[in-house]
Amino acid sequence: MRTRFIYAVTVALALSATITLFAQAPAGGTQTPAPPPGGTQPPAGGAQTPPGGRGGGRGASLRPKSIDAPDIKFEVVKDFMKLPPNVYLGEGIGIATNSKGHVFVNTCAQQTRNFEFDEKGNFVREIGKDSYGNVFCHGIRVDAQDNIWVIDEGANSIIKYNPQGRAVMILGRRIGFPYNGMEPPVKEINPAPPYIFNRPTDVAWDAAGNIFVADGYVNSRIAKYDKYGKFIKQVGSRGSGPGQFTLLHAIAVDAQGNVYGGSRSDQRIVVFDNDLNYKTTFDHVGAPWSLCITPGPGHQYLYTSNSNPDSNDSEIHKVTGQIFKMELDGTVLGKFGVPGKEQGQFSTVHGIDCRVENELLITEIVEWRLQKFILHPTAAQGGK
Amino acid sequence: MKSARIAFTLVFAGALAAGSLMDGSVVAGQAQSAQPKEIPFETAGDFLKLPDDIHLGEVAGAATTQKGNLFVYYQGGGPNATIGASRVYINGGARLLEFDRTGKFLREIGNSENDRPYAFLFAQGVRVDPQDNIWIVDRASRMVVKFDQTGKVLLTLGRRLEAVGELGSSGVFGRASGPPGSGVPGDNFNQPLDVAWDAAGNIFIPDGYGNARVAKFDKNGKFIKSWGATGAEQGQFNIPASIAVDAKGMVYVADMGNQRIQVFDNDGTFKSEIKNVGAPRALCISPGATQYLYSSNSNPTEDPFLNGEIYKMQLDGTVVGRFGKAGKQFKEFGMVNEIDCRDPNTLYVAEMMNWRVQKLTLK
């Protein structure tokens, strides 16, 4: 029994270590996206502080410039997600759909897991059960060929599963046993090693199949690979200048191959051309926790979530939580959503799927759920 | 050897932090001999048919039995941890699977998390001896374990560390003697990396990442001797990554960090070295009347597209040919960690970074 006991201690330590190691992750529950002091540890009674009581309030710096954009009407599909008994979603981190409308969710449960649901929200199967790549969830995306790509911040890897659910390509490498040359640098490396990530956050592709990786929490770069995983180039460093990022948390690519990087902690979307030359910055839609560009064909739209941070600060919640619908040039068409726990509200959105322009699937961190929203068309679509 | 002089280039492929020189990760050898012949080959691609809920991770080893079944030892997921000096290391669970020659899944040795053998912690290799016993090498538990065909444990070598030592002691139980790399003889390992046998059943274990020696045991597991220490001289090692023994009992050690294969007699006396095949990570010697030596110049972690070729040699080091390169597609390799060459023209290669086993047919 001594062996058993030691094993139990070991596992317990592992669990606490997991918590420690990833305490800065968004899903870990302690990271705020913004500079205001006290954001992580609001003083007692903070919720009662009157607006403006602190020189404009803690929320002031997080108030998006486009907060007065028109409201988009919507309905939420009640109880969309249907789980079988004894299957539990954890924090809803990543969301994506394939060409058949099946829904894939990457969740931080006791283990990081990936679930597939059908188009009606019925549970179908688990993808990559007990995989070596399941360390700490950060996202899931489905490419144009219905391959399923999982972004694992803990494994420092992006795993491409084929539509059958088998891993067929791995980008990055999980830090394994000590002394395998992969001690994680805790500081940004600039330029970062081409093939080694440090807490990557998202992945996207252009029409040619080139792969764009957002890397991420520690490094601050977008790396471009060809469809075979061979490194082409990269851009970015930590900061708030053109072409820089402060917590590169999301990425999306439009039909022309332009690349949109979500710089969460300084509330910017930074746009590059396909060769990663800087083009422009959108700084009027809050902190881009999650980005999604509608696939088309035809006119494309950009959704970004200025998610209410999971920092338990009611003043910040008053000005955040909305999702913006935009033109690709940054023009805001409208917004929807408020923080809250009821169905149809948002509890720190971490994933958006927009394969169908006005049918969004959304995952949230705090409430362990996947919600489906039906948006009313915006005025700018009138001519379509 | 045909080429008189061999030049070597150190390739610094990445800019990782200092202290990352282990595992051949940053230093990778590039063989620059007169171009050896390219051996044409085919791959059976994704030939393993896995149950729905089993997914390969980093595949450390693949080895065939006499009837052609394949054992695969790999790093899977799941909670597990190893306590190191300064932090807790979290590892997935190592798993051992058996397939038939068509790639059909047959069974798992220890088919649930709690049933897996105590040594299964971080997979490093699996080999099958001439009597069809299955030997696993586990880097984190620091153990080599021999199973018979039924999965029964016949022999354990080394000891998995306990988390804590004797009251009042700063040490832990099960450690190897002496500072790492000092070559102190003894039974315990510090991250062993492979296993091989001679015709008499003597056991040879390269030990390893932490130590830099080759340990020899008799067939019953009794320690006979060990040789080597950290260094670049003859008989010293910088990561003895793999080992193979020929029919005469000569011992071939992949001295990966020194980019050479060292050849010793059965008692560990240095005989020769082979230096034109890059940084060898995986060795295999085929059985039969004419034996061949295979060696993989596997890519480093930092560059999945650097090197990766496998050499086929005569036992004296003469290169017969080479094949393959690093990459992520089929017919390319992602850090080959072990080669099975029971049939010299049908190779199984275990790939760490591509999470798979490829079955190769050499033309």
Side-chain angles (χ1 to χ4, degrees):
Chain A
M1 285 314 291
R2 186 168 48 91
T3 297
R4 263 302 146 196
F5 171 71
I6 289 169
Y7 180 76
V9 170
T10 306
V11 170
L13 280 166
L15 292 172
S16 66
T18 305
I19 292 161
T20 305
L21 280 170
F22 298 107
Q24 294 308 307
T30 58
Q31 178 137 351
T32 48
T40 50
Q41 293 291 332
Q48 280 75 47
T49 306
R54 291 171 186 270
R58 288 181 304 283
S61 66
L62 287 176
R63 179 186 173 92
K65 292 174 188 166
S66 299
I67 195 165
D68 295 324
D71 286 315
I72 300 171
K73 291 180 179 169
F74 66 91
E75 282 90 45
V76 63
V77 178
K78 289 277 184 191
D79 301 314
F80 175 75
M81 177 183 71
K82 290 169 271 294
L83 286 165
N86 293 316
V87 176
Y88 293 91
L89 200 72
E91 298 189 334
I93 299 302
I95 177 88
T97 54
N98 69 10
S99 63
K100 299 177 185 68
H102 279 213
V103 181
F104 299 84
V105 176
N106 173 246
T107 179
C108 280
Q110 291 289 354
Q111 276 190 14
T112 285
R113 303 174 79 176
N114 308 297
F115 293 150
E116 178 177 349
F117 301 86
D118 69 15
E119 67 282 3
K120 298 185 189 314
N122 298 303
F123 181 86
V124 175
R125 62 173 174 162
E126 180 169 1
I127 307 286
K129 179 175 163 53
D130 292 332
S131 165
Y132 184 60
N134 295 341
V135 181
F136 196 75
C137 60
H138 204 269
I140 194 166
R141 301 276 195 175
V142 173
D143 68 20
Q145 291 74 41
D146 278 353
N147 298 298
I148 306 143
W149 300 61
V150 172
I151 303 100
D152 197 287
E153 178 193 338
N156 283 322
S157 298
I158 291 166
I159 299 118
K160 175 186 180 181
Y161 292 93
N162 64 17
Q164 292 73 45
R166 290 295 175 188
V168 291
M169 187 162 76
I170 295 93
L171 300 176
R173 194 180 182 204
R174 177 176 165 180
I175 297 160
F177 192 71
Y179 313 128
N180 76 341
M182 296 202 62
E183 281 293 323
V186 292
K187 290 181 180 171
E188 177 190 13
I189 296 177
N190 191 10
Y195 294 101
I196 305 292
F197 305 129
N198 203 332
R199 301 174 62 194
T201 53
D202 204 356
V203 68
W205 316 269
D206 64 18
N210 292 309
I211 305 159
F212 296 85
V213 174
D215 175 36
Y217 270 96
V218 181
N219 293 326
S220 301
R221 56 138 176 204
I222 292 173
K224 178 181 181 180
Y225 304 86
D226 72 14
K227 63 182 175 183
Y228 305 115
K230 186 151 178 101
F231 177 81
I232 297 172
K233 67 189 302 187
Q234 62 184 357
V235 68
S237 57
R238 183 163 294 268
S240 294
Q244 290 188 310
F245 308 104
T246 308
L247 208 185
L248 173 56
H249 195 258
I251 194 168
V253 177
D254 68 21
Q256 279 69 50
N258 297 307
V259 182
Y260 301 70
S263 183
R264 195 180 89 183
S265 292
D266 58 4
Q267 305 163 63
R268 298 179 308 137
I269 298 170
V270 189
V271 187
F272 303 86
D273 71 14
N274 195 258
D275 294 322
L276 299 180
N277 300 306
Y278 172 79
K279 290 183 75 171
T280 187
T281 298
F282 306 149
D283 63 357
H284 54 300
V285 285
W289 281 65
S290 179
L291 297 178
C292 186
I293 293 178
T294 57
H299 198 101
Q300 293 186 291
Y301 298 92
L302 169 64
Y303 289 97
T304 181
S305 175
N306 180 33
S307 307
N308 52 301
D310 47 352
S311 58
N312 188 34
D313 187 323
S314 64
E315 283 195 44
I316 290 175
H317 281 206
K318 285 173 186 166
V319 296
T320 59
Q322 64 287 103
I323 290 177
F324 291 99
K325 182 178 183 181
M326 308 163 73
E327 299 283 5
L328 295 184
D329 67 1
T331 305
V332 174
L333 298 171
K335 69 172 194 297
F336 70 100
V338 293
K341 293 175 178 294
E342 294 175 36
Q343 293 197 40
Q345 299 178 328
F346 295 143
S347 60
T348 314
V349 168
H350 199 278
I352 303 174
D353 175 85
C354 62
R355 181 177 287 268
V356 180
E357 180 198 338
N358 287 317
E359 293 182 16
L360 300 192
L361 288 147
I362 287 169
T363 46
E364 297 152 77
I365 293 177
V366 178
E367 284 296 317
W368 305 336
R369 66 190 175 191
L370 143 69
Q371 296 193 84
K372 181 170 183 175
F373 290 80
I374 310 297
L375 307 189
H376 293 203
T378 42
Q381 294 173 266
K384 270 187 76 179
Chain B
M1 253 176 284
K2 287 168 190 160
S3 55
R5 195 70 207 120
I6 311 299
F8 278 87
T9 310
L10 290 185
V11 179
F12 287 88
L16 271 198
S20 64
L21 280 170
M22 306 300 283
D23 202 10
S25 298
V26 171
V27 180
Q30 217 169 35
Q32 296 194 344
S33 58
Q35 273 302 318
K37 175 185 139 218
E38 283 287 336
I39 301 173
F41 71 104
E42 297 295 334
T43 177
D46 202 4
F47 76 105
L48 294 181
K49 296 177 247 328
L50 287 154
D52 284 347
D53 281 345
I54 295 185
H55 298 271
L56 297 183
E58 297 202 346
V59 181
T64 57
T65 63
Q66 287 173 35
K67 68 176 178 182
N69 284 4
L70 183 72
F71 281 88
V72 174
Y73 193 42
Y74 74 100
Q75 199 55 30
N80 223 322
T82 310
I83 298 183
S86 58
R87 54 172 276 203
V88 176
Y89 296 101
I90 301 166
N91 304 305
R95 300 176 73 168
L96 180 60
L97 311 181
E98 183 179 4
F99 301 85
D100 74 12
R101 63 187 316 135
T102 69
K104 181 186 163 199
F105 174 82
L106 296 178
R107 63 171 170 159
E108 176 168 11
I109 306 294
N111 58 8
S112 77
E113 206 163 276
N114 284 332
D115 287 338
R116 283 177 206 148
Y118 180 56
F120 286 20
L121 198 57
F122 201 90
Q124 171 57 32
V126 60
R127 301 274 199 177
V128 175
D129 71 18
Q131 292 74 44
D132 258 3
N133 300 301
I134 302 115
W135 299 63
I136 64 95
V137 182
D138 195 286
R139 218 162 107 197
S141 70
R142 305 177 172 205
M143 293 192 72
V144 176
V145 181
K146 175 186 182 182
F147 299 90
D148 71 12
Q149 275 287 318
T150 70
K152 180 182 170 190
V153 173
L154 298 182
L155 179 68
T156 60
L157 295 170
R159 189 180 175 218
R160 176 171 164 172
L161 296 184
E162 284 188 37
V164 291
E166 191 178 335
L167 184 65
S169 156
S170 60
V172 295
F173 292 119
R175 279 196 305 194
S177 297
S182 59
V184 174
D187 293 86
N188 285 341
F189 307 118
N190 190 342
Q191 301 191 58
L193 298 177
D194 203 358
V195 63
W197 315 269
D198 64 18
N202 292 308
I203 304 156
F204 298 85
I205 293 173
D207 169 36
Y209 274 92
N211 290 323
R213 62 169 188 153
V214 174
K216 178 180 178 180
F217 301 83
D218 74 11
K219 64 180 179 184
N220 299 313
K222 180 180 166 60
F223 179 79
I224 298 172
K225 69 185 298 183
S226 66
W227 67 88
T230 298
E233 304 293 315
Q234 293 178 352
Q236 294 182 329
F237 305 105
N238 180 356
I239 310 176
S242 183
I243 196 164
V245 178
D246 70 16
K248 295 190 180 69
M250 302 291 284
V251 181
Y252 300 71
V253 182
D255 187 7
M256 186 168 73
N258 289 325
Q259 301 173 48
R260 63 183 175 180
I261 299 167
Q262 293 195 65
V263 187
F264 301 89
D265 71 14
N266 199 264
D267 295 320
T269 304
F270 175 86
K271 288 298 179 185
S272 64
E273 59 187 12
I274 300 166
K275 293 191 73 172
N276 57 343
V277 289
R281 188 185 181 95
L283 298 184
C284 185
I285 292 180
S286 60
T290 304
Q291 293 189 290
Y292 292 101
L293 169 63
Y294 296 88
S295 177
S296 173
N297 182 24
S298 306
N299 66 281
T301 293
E302 283 71 27
D303 193 345
F305 294 90
L306 180 68
N307 300 327
E309 74 280 6
I310 296 174
Y311 292 92
K312 180 181 183 181
M313 287 171 272
Q314 296 171 6
L315 292 184
D316 67 358
T318 304
V319 174
V320 177
R322 53 171 274 178
F323 60 93
K325 63 176 181 174
K328 295 175 184 292
Q329 300 178 71
F330 289 122
K331 293 190 77 173
E332 297 178 336
F333 306 132
M335 191 182 275
V336 169
N337 197 60
E338 201 173 278
I339 301 170
D340 178 274
C341 62
R342 181 179 292 274
D343 174 341
N345 291 315
T346 306
L347 304 187
Y348 294 84
V349 294
E351 296 173 72
M352 297 285 270
M353 287 175 63
N354 287 342
W355 298 10
R356 68 186 179 195
V357 178
Q358 282 189 82
K359 181 180 182 179
L360 310 176
T361 306
L362 306 191
K363 302 288 178 64

